[in-house]
């Protein structure tokens, strides 16, 4: 998969607010190979958490009390995006809305970035009864550690996207225009 370069991204939230990012994860793919996976705990505004969100991902105010706020983490992510300005996410509408909301909250300009959605791709190219990230990874025997942790989910998403490209004989993400958007 020479020439396939993208960054899979995932966020976990502290509350129902899309801007309440408490963890960000990325998985960098260069020439069709996973080369790096990173995650950052993020201190959400007022470090407030909803009980139900914590039940999903296990992150609490204690975990993020000394974590950097979104602008610092976003600056780190942008260093990767400078080289590869293509994002991939599972249910990208959610993750892109988290980015937009956090950028707006912190008065950060929105970069010009394209994204692709592995969920939209799966719904179009496969005929599975369930298209959740973990279910698709189980089906394709894509191993993972803890679902609903941002770094793990980003890597799961990256490996799923590579599977989708391979299964359809596509050599570039641009061939998947049906699941593309702009941040």
């Amino acid at each position: 998969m020479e020439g396939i370069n993208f960054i899979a991204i995932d966020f976990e939230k502290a509350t129902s607010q899309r801007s309440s990012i408490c963890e960000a994860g990325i998985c960098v793919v260069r020439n069709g190979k996973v080369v790096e996976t990173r995650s950052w705990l993020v201190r959400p505004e007022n470090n407030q958490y909803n009980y139900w969100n914590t039940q999903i991902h296990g992150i609490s105010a204690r975990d993020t009390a000394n974590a950097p706020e979104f602008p610092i983490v976003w600056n780190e992510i942008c260093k990767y995006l400078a080289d590869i300005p293509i994002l991939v996410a599972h249910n990208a509408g959610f993750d892109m809305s988290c980015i937009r909301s956090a950028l707006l909250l912190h008065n950060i300009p929105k970069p010009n970035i394209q994204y692709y959605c592995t969920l939209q791709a799966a719904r179009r190219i496969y005929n599975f009864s369930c298209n959740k990230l973990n279910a698709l990874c189980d089906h394709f025997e894509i191993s993972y550690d803890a679902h609903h942790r941002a770094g793990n989910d980003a890597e799961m998403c990256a490996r799923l996207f590579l599977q989708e490209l391979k299964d359809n004989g596509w050599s570039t993400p641009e061939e998947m225009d049906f699941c593309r958007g702009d941040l």
Side-chain angles (χ1 to χ4, degrees):
M1 300 192 116
E2 189 71 25
I4 303 287
N5 302 306
F6 62 88
I7 298 170
I9 196 161
D10 186 75
F11 297 103
E12 300 299 333
K13 298 183 310 139
T15 69
S16 61
Q17 297 298 311
R18 297 285 169 112
S19 61
S20 70
I21 295 169
C22 62
E23 188 176 41
I26 63 169
C27 181
V28 180
V29 173
R30 292 185 191 276
N31 292 316
K33 299 201 180 311
V34 169
V35 296
E36 183 178 0
T37 300
R38 284 197 63 186
S39 64
W40 298 263
L41 287 173
V42 180
R43 187 173 60 248
E45 190 174 35
N46 301 319
N47 206 31
Q48 291 184 295
Y49 280 77
N50 173 297
Y51 171 81
W52 297 111
N53 290 59
T54 297
Q55 292 303 301
I56 291 169
H57 49 60
I59 303 166
S60 69
R62 186 175 326 140
D63 299 315
T64 57
N66 296 311
E69 292 183 346
F70 178 79
I72 293 168
V73 172
W74 181 247
N75 188 48
E76 287 293 311
I77 292 170
C78 284
K79 290 176 186 175
Y80 292 90
L81 291 171
D83 289 337
I84 306 173
I86 298 173
L87 289 174
V88 173
H90 195 74
N91 192 12
F94 168 79
D95 292 287
M96 297 310 125
S97 71
C98 288
I99 293 172
R100 286 185 209 107
S101 296
L103 292 174
L104 185 63
L105 175 68
H106 296 285
N107 211 13
I108 300 170
K110 184 174 69 165
N112 183 20
I113 293 183
Q114 292 182 356
Y115 68 84
Y116 294 85
C117 181
T118 56
L119 175 60
Q120 284 182 8
R123 287 178 174 161
R124 181 162 176 176
I125 62 182
Y126 304 119
N127 190 26
F128 299 137
S129 60
C130 180
N131 291 300
K132 291 182 179 180
L133 180 59
N134 62 324
L136 290 166
C137 287
D138 289 344
H139 176 82
F140 291 114
E141 298 179 354
I142 297 169
S143 63
Y144 56 93
D145 291 323
H147 183 38
H148 291 303
R149 290 307 302 255
N152 292 332
D153 285 3
E155 186 166 333
M156 291 164 65
C157 177
R159 294 186 185 282
L160 175 61
F161 193 60
L162 291 169
Q163 182 74 45
E164 291 171 340
L165 288 165
K166 178 183 164 199
D167 286 351
N168 287 280
W170 293 321
S171 58
T172 67
E174 289 78 16
E175 293 176 83
M176 297 174 73
D177 197 51
F178 64 89
C179 68
R180 187 191 74 76
D182 294 310
L183 180 62

